[in-house]
Amino acid sequence: MSDDVTSSSDNPISVYDLFLKRKEKAIRKIRWRLRCHFPNSEFLISRGDREYRIQSDMEDNQKIRLPDEEKLDVMAVWGAELFGPSEIESLYANFSRLGWDVPRIGSDRDGVVHWIREQRMYGSVGNYNVGIVSRKGENRFLGVRYFAPMPEDVENLSVGVYQLSPSLTCVLVGFFLTEHAGARYKRELDLDRKTIHRTEWARGAIASYGVEHLKIEAIENTRMLQRSMVTTWFEQQLPGFFSNAKDGNRLPTAEILLTEVETCFPANRADSHQREKKWRRLIARISPMNVWTSEECQGLQLVMDELSGDARYHLIMALRGIDVPDEKLEYRGGRNRRSLATYCEDYLSGALVYYASIAFLREGERTVKLTRERLREAGNDEGIVRTLENIKYYFTESIGLPTIASELKNGAKKTGWYRHWCENFTMESWRDGDDKYSLPEVLRSRTKVLASRFIKEEAASREQFEQISSILNTQESVKTQKRMERLTWGALILAFSSLIAALPVDDLSKKLKSVVEQVVK
């Protein structure tokens, strides 16, 4: 045998070279498998790559770190729960359990439960300020007599009730955070991180996550933890339409951020590309064309419709403290963290309440579509029963929804309450030369469009569900009737067999013989 092996291109390759190539291939394969199982092992990364990564991580941490003169404080988080005809009795019971159904000491107003009953009974719209709620044993605020359990990160609550329509009540709860809890975003930005690698087995690849990506992930996780705190509290204390959902809690929530030097979101396109403000992109990747700005305070910004999943109804309000005049804070106790939070509360509450009504309509429409998709014609009994259960679930869960949608549609025809409750935030038009968008008008028009669409889809789907239910009930009745016929025949055969078995043998033969003779004749 020759010492040379002929390749496909007729170029001779020695056996030794072929052995080396196969050896290198095997080593690379082993190294790749080790790297997949230990993606962050320093021994599997070359010295040059390690040095480059360390230097790059150091520079990225320095660029993204919050400036020394800047502050970033989450002063409060909010939640808005809605109560329709199906949930209102539980609201009354929970208010009574918490002791909020009685008037405050020294107040000449009726309790909140009595007020809600009156509003719903006579078809009125309005709001009721329940006020400050503290922990049991704490009484920092004069006249506070309302108490409730609350997380450790929360100093106290601020509660308000809004009657959006005769059949829809909104409970708005603000959770004022401690300074330590409010500084979580800042700590995540200031914390130095290093690039890590994660094996993605489904793709057969190793993904690299740099400093910026890891800090964005940390901010998002912190935001979800704060939001989870709010949703969990509502589930335990005041469960309503969103908290009772069986496929995820999409409760409308909001957070209030405070900065000192820079606005948290870009004010224009040029502002969004400044590298020295790179830390802002980690808080939320917001386009300057999606930022609402207050007409009264240019440092007060509002962002909505930017998140996804269960947090799709999460709002972010950001305030640059230096833009608030001192005279606006005098009657709130002067310039301090609490007064700035309550200043933002006045601007946030109306927007969040009306945004919650939009979320209510979208979730109602989603329920209709999901139910429609789940209905499948099935030939077996289990499929028919499952379809009927889906229809039953829809009719049970949608009690009052068409009425509420009709009331919201009629309410959206009037601009008064929207302008009264919702402060005037504006946003630049996407097209040059057009007028600015006004937040009260946008919320009103969206409510009107969504309510009209929901009413049409719900009516058409309800008629379809009723027809399907009637057909399936008829099919089930026919099948039941056939089963009864088979049971009847079985019972007759069993009775006849029992009768024959009970007769004596001689009598039985004589009777059979006589029957045969009669048949022959």
Side-chain angles (χ1 to χ4, degrees), residues 42-110:
E42 297 290 340
F43 299 102
L44 299 175
I45 303 175
S46 66
R47 179 179 179 182
D49 289 343
R50 286 199 302 270
E51 292 177 352
Y52 172 79
R53 189 187 65 185
I54 292 172
Q55 182 64 28
S56 177
D57 289 349
M58 188 183 303
E59 294 175 358
D60 288 344
N61 278 306
Q62 186 63 33
K63 291 177 183 178
I64 298 174
R65 188 176 289 111
L66 199 69
D68 295 336
E69 67 277 7
E70 185 61 274
K71 68 182 297 183
L72 182 61
D73 184 9
V74 184
M75 297 186 292
V77 289
W78 290 78
E81 182 61 282
L82 297 181
F83 299 84
S86 300
E87 302 88 15
I88 193 62
E89 289 300 327
S90 69
L91 177 64
Y92 297 152
N94 286 317
F95 271 172
S96 299
R97 174 180 57 83
L98 292 169
W100 299 358
D101 56 329
V102 296
R104 284 188 181 273
I105 296 177
S107 174
D108 56 354
R109 296 190 66 180
D110 295 322

Side-chain angles (χ1 to χ4, degrees), residues 315-328:
L315 279 64
I316 304 176
M317 175 172 279
L319 172 68
R320 184 169 60 180
I322 60 176
D323 291 323
V324 183
D326 290 337
E327 55 268 21
K328 294 285 187 179

Side-chain angles (χ1 to χ4, degrees), residues 49 65 71 95 126 132 136 172 193 234 238 249 264 306-307 312 337 348 358 365 370 373 411 427 434 464 472 488:
D49 289 343
R65 188 176 289 111
K71 68 182 297 183
F95 271 172
I132 299 296
K136 274 285 187 182
L172 195 65
R193 300 180 183 274
F234 271 99
L238 297 175
N249 192 330
C264 194
E306 289 294 330
L307 302 181
R312 64 178 62 251
R337 185 171 181 266
L348 174 67
I358 291 175
E365 185 178 5
L370 280 178
E373 292 175 0
M427 182 173 64
D434 289 357
Q464 180 186 7
L472 293 179
T488 302

Side-chain angles (χ1 to χ4, degrees), residues 197-430:
H197 303 87
R198 297 171 182 169
T199 303
E200 298 182 356
W201 297 102
R203 294 175 51 201
I206 298 177
S208 178
Y209 295 85
V211 171
E212 182 174 345
H213 185 99
L214 293 175
K215 292 196 175 187
I216 290 175
E217 189 178 72
I219 294 292
E220 290 176 350
N221 290 337
T222 302
R223 177 171 288 125
M224 291 303 103
L225 285 174
Q226 291 175 345
R227 187 179 178 281
S228 177
M229 177 190 69
V230 176
T231 58
T232 301
W233 187 91
F234 271 99
E235 289 174 357
Q236 296 174 352
Q237 306 300 330
L238 297 175
F241 175 81
F242 295 101
S243 300
N244 290 332
K246 297 181 179 180
D247 57 348
N249 192 330
R250 288 170 287 278
L251 181 83
T253 53
E255 63 185 82
I256 300 178
L257 303 177
L258 175 66
T259 58
E260 191 65 31
V261 180
E262 299 292 342
T263 57
C264 194
F265 305 118
N268 49 58
R269 295 179 183 178
D271 188 23
S272 64
H273 296 294
Q274 295 187 27
R275 292 189 176 183
E276 62 271 16
K277 303 175 185 178
K278 193 174 181 179
W279 61 270
R280 300 190 308 184
R281 293 198 303 127
L282 277 65
I283 303 302
R285 295 193 174 188
I286 306 298
S287 166
M289 305 304 293
N290 291 332
V291 178
W292 296 89
T293 304
S294 172
E295 288 290 284
E296 296 185 5
C297 178
Q298 292 299 306
L300 185 61
Q301 301 171 311
L302 180 66
V303 171
M304 58 180 65
D305 297 329
E306 289 294 330
L307 302 181
S308 58
D310 287 351
R312 64 178 62 251
Y313 303 125
H314 185 79
L315 279 64
I316 304 176
M317 175 172 279
L319 172 68
R320 184 169 60 180
I322 60 176
D323 291 323
V324 183
D326 290 337
E327 55 268 21
K328 294 285 187 179
L329 303 175
E330 287 181 359
Y331 70 96
R332 302 176 189 270
R335 184 177 294 274
N336 55 62
R337 185 171 181 266
R338 179 71 186 209
S339 63
L340 290 171
T342 57
Y343 174 83
C344 293
E345 176 184 355
D346 293 345
Y347 288 84
L348 174 67
S349 56
L352 182 55
V353 166
Y354 278 121
Y355 192 67
S357 68
I358 291 175
F360 177 85
L361 292 171
R362 292 181 65 183
E363 289 301 303
E365 185 178 5
R366 175 178 173 273
T367 302
V368 173
K369 292 178 179 178
L370 280 178
T371 306
R372 195 163 54 207
E373 292 175 0
R374 288 171 181 167
L375 298 182
R376 294 291 184 270
E377 295 290 344
N380 54 19
D381 296 340
E382 183 181 352
I384 293 175
V385 172
R386 186 169 59 250
T387 302
L388 291 173
E389 286 294 329
N390 285 333
I391 295 176
K392 177 183 176 182
Y393 172 78
Y394 170 76
F395 283 121
T396 302
E397 295 298 316
S398 63
I399 294 177
L401 290 185
T403 302
I404 294 174
S406 179
E407 293 172 352
L408 291 176
K409 179 183 177 182
N410 292 331
K413 296 177 181 178
K414 307 171 184 177
T415 61
W417 281 108
Y418 283 85
R419 294 184 178 180
H420 175 70
W421 280 347
C422 186
E423 297 294 334
N424 190 25
F425 285 81
T426 60
M427 182 173 64
E428 295 291 338
S429 173
W430 286 87

